[in-house]
Amino acid sequence: MIDQEKKVELLKMAVKGSENAHCPYSNFRVGAAVLGKSGKVYLGGNIENVSYGATVCAERVAIWKAVSEGEKEFEAIAVIGPGKKEAYPCAQCRQVMVEFGLDWLVISGDSQGNYLGEKTVREIVPFPFVPSALLGE
Ligand code: THU
């Protein structure tokens, strides 16, 4: 469980993540900060590509960084987008989140890192395709 202060701290870190986004094509700047169970935070910004299809969302950049550093269990991910609207992950990123559990938190904020809401991965992915489907656990 993380308290409100920590959630806002994570949102502010997501803003930091957005500062290194590479988004010349959409100009849609997204930032993410994922908090591992170790306590470490990994930042991400969306990284676009001229081919468009090779673009990676901020959430996955942050999660790939964490997993590649050996962190596979998460407490929460904070996501911020441009403007004042709630930012929630795309469906591909949701599936990547499911890979690492259903009971962790997605915290949504605006471009300034103001808190706008939260959901669990379970809530934003109803009827999930889970690792146990293949692993048979
Ligand atoms: N994007 C993200 O980084 N995260 C999301 O959850 C939605 C979309 C990025 C991908 C692309 O660089 C830009 O936003 C426009 O789709």
Side-chain angles (χ1 to χ4, degrees):
M1 272 290 287
I2 64 171
D3 60 24
Q4 194 63 24
E5 197 181 323
K6 185 77 192 169
K7 288 173 193 172
V8 173
E9 192 185 310
L10 212 53
L11 282 164
K12 300 292 180 200
M13 293 175 92
V15 174
K16 269 231 148 310
S18 77
E19 286 165 11
N20 288 327
H22 172 72
C23 53
Y25 308 106
S26 73
N27 267 318
F28 192 83
R29 189 171 289 274
V30 184
V34 66
L35 172 63
K37 288 248 166 103
S38 71
K40 209 170 156 194
V41 176
Y42 306 82
L43 307 185
N46 48 329
I47 302 177
E48 296 185 345
N49 184 270
V50 61
S51 72
Y52 288 21
T55 292
V56 185
C57 293
E59 296 91 323
R60 271 175 290 157
V61 170
I63 293 170
W64 296 156
K65 280 170 74 179
V67 173
S68 65
E69 298 286 324
E71 184 103 48
K72 288 192 186 181
E73 290 187 294
F74 303 110
E75 292 280 354
I77 185 166
V79 185
I80 66 101
K84 294 189 178 301
K85 278 198 209 140
E86 273 186 327
Y88 278 109
C90 81
Q92 263 190 305
C93 290
R94 292 178 195 212
Q95 183 61 39
V96 166
M97 289 170 187
V98 166
E99 185 70 20
F100 303 105
L102 295 170
D103 295 308
W104 53 295
L105 215 51
V106 181
I107 304 160
S108 177
D110 67 12
S111 61
Q112 306 299 304
N114 295 307
Y115 178 93
L116 293 177
E118 65 184 61
K119 301 273 180 217
T120 61
V121 173
R122 190 184 292 279
E123 284 174 312
I124 61 170
V125 189
F127 309 103
F129 182 47
V130 290
S132 61
L134 291 189
L135 299 174
E137 289 158 359

